[in-house]
Amino acid sequence: MTEVRRQLFIGGAWADAAHGATLPVDDPATGEIIAHVADAGPEDARLAEEAAVSAQPGWARTAPRARSEILRRAYELILERTDELARLMTSEMGKPLAEARGEAAYAAEFLRWFSEEAVRIDGGLGLLPDGRTRMLLSRRPVGPSLLITPWNFPLAMATRKIGPAVAAGCTTILKPAPQTPLSALALAGILQEAGLPDGVLNVVPTSRAQAVCEPLLRGGRIRKLSFTGSTAVGRLLLAQCAGTVVRTSMELGGNAPFIVFEDADLDAAVDGAMVAKMRNMGEACTAANRFFVHRSVAGAFGRRLAARMAALEVGPGTRDGVDVGPLIDAAGRAKVEELVDDAVERGARVLTGGRTPGGPGCFYPPTVLADVAPGSRLLETEIFGPVAAILTFDDEDEVLDRANDTPWGLVGYVFTQGLDRGLRVSEGLEVGMVGLNTGLVSDPAAPFGGVKQSGLGREGGRAGIEEFLEYQYVAVPVR
Ligand code: NAP
């Protein structure tokens, strides 16, 4: 791979921050600083805005096929460099290399998917009901877009936004999470190499997110915000967007229920639980947060899940055979510890894990808690760690009520061998996505997103590009 630059990427050029500031990036497996990256301030944000705004008209006029082919080349470059990108991701974020490779493939797939969508943006011609007026419909890019991403999927959250924006003809400013700027900068290098014109993508890592983003959102020149992160920050950004009526897509937090009925195939349910809980060490918005297991199978499910969790190898993500890397930082781990302690104080039984190891790195062991009491804090917030909290239930209506009793609605998981029940419960869940007898829902070809306070809009699928397109309707009288 070409060298990963550590500067800001603005208008197709690499530059230090205006005041020479840098931010440290550390390896959560060791706590050691692995890089210093340029730390953007408001002046740099203004330059990025200028670059994105200036490049917008030309990019909107660029042939869809040309936009498509750039994305396709970038897809191929990511695949060629999977290993190097995976190492980079593991070093700044901690996930095991095998998962990081999986993320590189998943991230690339968004670029392939949207390279295919770029050439399928259609319009329409119709006749209004009175028969006297034609209606010409065309689609156009919404305009310069600010993309804000979290640290948990440093590459895929970026391509899930850049892919559709670029395909639609929008120019962009990407503000990655400060913990994981290197993956974003590597991606910028790849897109440049793939032929993306100057100014279409600008990348501004910063330790001062609000100072950089708020003026952009309030300034009136940025026309779209696509945000992935917590619901709390999402609310704040929505308020900032209100002033200039910036269009928004919001991929926010979750509190996923994982429901196991008495007729479930328990092997499949445990397999599904391992994926839904342990993908990314539990640091995923899709992570199963509340396991509702029918009383008659709760003991067996808990024992089997605990045995599988206890067998996982915890360690630095770069080491062969490691299944579970460190959590992102000390604050992330402290939150998990507090949530587990609170549940145990309220009567939960620890089936495995539950104790923080000594030594360097932000490690936390895979943990299963049974008999979690209502009111435990981990039922009301995202755990964001490798902790499965098991509750029991007795009947279908009761479990649906309890599963829906949350302000979030991103995803739910249902395990049952009854087709009618599976569909009925899926339809009854107030969520944007359901895994029915599976623990994995994410796919670039599917509309990913939530209802309630889990978000607005969708990423991926046909819906993904719609988020970056406007309609224009031209009325033409029939003469
Ligand atoms: P976060 O604290 O909300 O941060 C997300 C991003 O927003 C970071 O880049 C962050 O930068 C930035 N940010 C924070 N305050 C900001 C402000 N005032 N103005 C502009 N940007 C601001 O979330 P996180 O802890 O990084 O990520 C975990 C959350 O993301 C979880 O809730 C998870 O569920 C959610 N998530 C959702 C999806 C989904 O598709 N629904 C996918 C992945 C993750 P700073 O860190 O510098 O503040």
Side-chain angles (χ1 to χ4, degrees), residues 120-139:
R120 315 235 184 284
I121 301 169
D122 52 10
L125 175 64
L127 195 60
L128 293 186
D130 66 10
R132 289 181 304 204
T133 315
R134 294 184 199 91
M135 170 175 67
L136 260 77
L137 285 183
S138 64
R139 310 305 308 275

Side-chain angles (χ1 to χ4, degrees), residues 10-97:
I10 297 178
W14 298 93
D16 290 332
H19 294 295
T22 59
L23 67 88
V25 180
D26 61 27
D27 176 348
T30 60
E32 281 164 17
I33 294 177
I34 53 168
H36 290 273
V37 166
D39 186 1
E43 300 89 332
D44 304 300
R46 265 197 298 281
L47 294 176
E49 180 186 49
E50 190 52 47
V53 169
S54 310
Q56 179 58 59
W59 186 238
R61 281 194 305 271
T62 301
R65 179 63 75 198
R67 302 201 296 259
S68 166
E69 283 176 355
I70 291 167
L71 290 173
R72 174 73 198 201
R73 274 198 294 279
Y75 154 76
E76 284 160 3
L77 288 172
I78 293 180
L79 289 191
E80 275 169 28
R81 295 169 194 177
T82 293
D83 226 58
E84 293 147 274
L85 287 165
R87 284 186 188 282
L88 191 66
M89 255 188 282
T90 295
S91 69
E92 65 177 351
M93 188 275 166
K95 68 180 71 189
L97 271 179

